[in-house]
Amino acid sequence: MDAVTTLTLSEFKREGRKITALTAYDAPFARIMDRAGVDVILVGDSVGMTVLGRADTLSVTLDEMIHHARSVVSAVERALVVVDMPFMSFQVSVEKAVENAGRLIKETGAKAVKLEGDKGVEKTVRAIVEAGIPVMGHVGLRPQSIHKFGGFKVQGRESGSAKRIELDAKATENGGGFAVVIEAVPVSLAKQITESLNIPTIGIGAGMHCDGQILVMHDVLGISDNVRPRFAKRYASVADIAQKAFREYIEEVKGGKFPTMQHSYSKLKLIKKSRASTGI
């Protein structure tokens, strides 16, 4: 199959074909989902919570994003790899945002960056795009702004906040962004935004009317059991499978059942050194 590009996603929207996206943070899982046929792989700053065990995404650094994104890119052949710009990597100044976006692309091989932001982010998006880097926006619930929002809460339930989110999404489009993630907003609002934009919308907790959907890999696989968002659907229980395997391994080692000769080397192969090999 042909590699997915930003233009591919635009074609999908025009043709009414749904876009599929998942998060990944390492090469093994990125390879698996790429082979499964996912369109977009996001190296999200959610790595701070899903992999690094932190309470939120705010402490994730640019270097950490580069580390994980490089691993993901190394394993992907088809999907479009997008990498998150972490907190304070683009808010300080437009110049710094362009510089950091450039690092993410140059040092990882990813094809695009994603940044969260309200309508004020338009200038930053435009500058990054003009530098030759595709940008995906992120509106609605923005995890980097949880202290401002008072926690992980649904956004856009009142007319005033709904209108602001519409303007935020439009700012990404006006700045030249190629797509926008809409997180945790009412279905009707996501539908309205999707119909008003020429660029694709990718929903997470935003209902069925978005042009595509994204979920966190750990929610899909049932790896993280401490946080289960209402909008996430568990398609497997990998944590249960892994725990069962670990228990069997522990029992076999303690019971002397592993390793057996099947998992051991049976003969010591002696290699006679020649004078040439010994240097004599």
Side-chain angles (χ1 to χ4, degrees):
M1 292 185 286
D2 293 336
V4 177
T5 69
T6 58
L7 295 180
T8 307
L9 303 190
S10 297
E11 291 172 7
F12 279 14
K13 182 178 177 78
R14 288 196 301 269
E15 297 169 2
R17 297 166 60 187
K18 292 291 188 181
I19 298 164
T20 59
L22 288 165
T23 66
Y25 315 100
D26 59 35
F29 277 113
R31 183 176 294 108
I32 292 169
M33 61 181 66
D34 186 50
R35 289 176 177 174
V38 74
D39 300 314
V40 178
I41 295 178
L42 171 66
V43 187
D45 59 0
S46 50
V47 66
M49 301 173 71
T50 58
V51 176
L52 304 177
R54 300 171 189 170
D56 54 46
T57 67
L58 300 179
S59 64
V60 175
T61 68
L62 191 69
D63 286 338
E64 286 173 329
M65 292 307 305
I66 289 170
H67 170 82
H68 288 279
R70 186 184 291 129
S71 176
V72 167
V73 169
S74 72
V76 173
E77 295 181 359
R78 174 184 176 271
L80 175 70
V81 178
V82 182
V83 56
D84 260 335
M85 296 194 70
F87 183 57
M88 296 309 293
S89 68
F90 62 92
Q91 292 95 333
V92 175
S93 69
V94 172
E95 293 74 20
K96 196 65 178 177
V98 174
E99 179 184 339
N100 288 333
R103 279 196 65 195
L104 285 169
I105 298 301
K106 286 183 66 175
E107 297 181 34
T108 70
K111 299 299 189 291
V113 298
K114 181 173 77 66
L115 54 86
E116 301 177 14
D118 56 23
K119 63 181 180 180
V121 83
E122 181 178 333
K123 185 178 179 181
T124 301
V125 171
R126 182 176 293 110
I128 296 173
V129 171
E130 288 177 351
I133 301 170
V135 176
M136 176 182 286
H138 185 144
V139 302
L141 173 59
R142 306 194 308 269
Q144 292 179 13
S145 299
I146 56 167
H147 296 317
K148 175 182 176 181
F149 294 151
F152 293 96
K153 298 179 179 180
V154 177
Q155 302 296 307
R157 280 181 163 159
E158 295 79 30
S159 59
S161 60
K163 185 60 178 177
R164 284 195 296 273
I165 293 171
E166 286 188 67
L167 294 174
D168 296 345
K170 194 64 178 176
T172 294
E173 181 175 72
N174 290 341
F178 71 91
V180 61
V181 170
I182 305 176
E183 181 170 356
V185 305
V187 172
S188 58
L189 176 57
K191 182 175 187 292
Q192 189 169 326
I193 293 172
T194 299
E195 291 174 349
S196 69
L197 296 181
N198 293 314
I199 62 174
T201 61
I202 300 176
I204 177 167
M208 67 295 296
H209 300 297
C210 294
D211 297 306
Q213 299 292 327
I214 185 168
L215 283 176
V216 173
M217 179 194 77
H218 290 61
D219 293 334
V220 171
L221 296 181
I223 296 176
S224 299
D225 57 3
N226 56 331
V227 178
R228 297 187 66 176
R230 174 179 174 178
F231 57 75
K233 181 175 179 180
R234 178 175 290 187
Y235 287 82
S237 297
V238 172
D240 294 338
I241 296 170
Q243 187 167 295
K244 181 176 181 293
F246 296 152
R247 282 176 175 165
E248 289 181 6
Y249 163 74
I250 292 166
E251 290 172 3
E252 288 195 1
V253 171
K254 288 184 177 295
K257 294 182 179 180
F258 177 84
T260 64
M261 285 304 298
Q262 179 184 352
H263 307 99
S264 305
Y265 298 102
S266 58
K267 289 184 179 180
L268 178 62
K269 187 175 182 180
L270 298 176
I271 301 176
K272 187 175 181 181
K273 293 183 179 180
S274 66
R275 290 188 176 184
S277 65
T278 58
I280 298 175

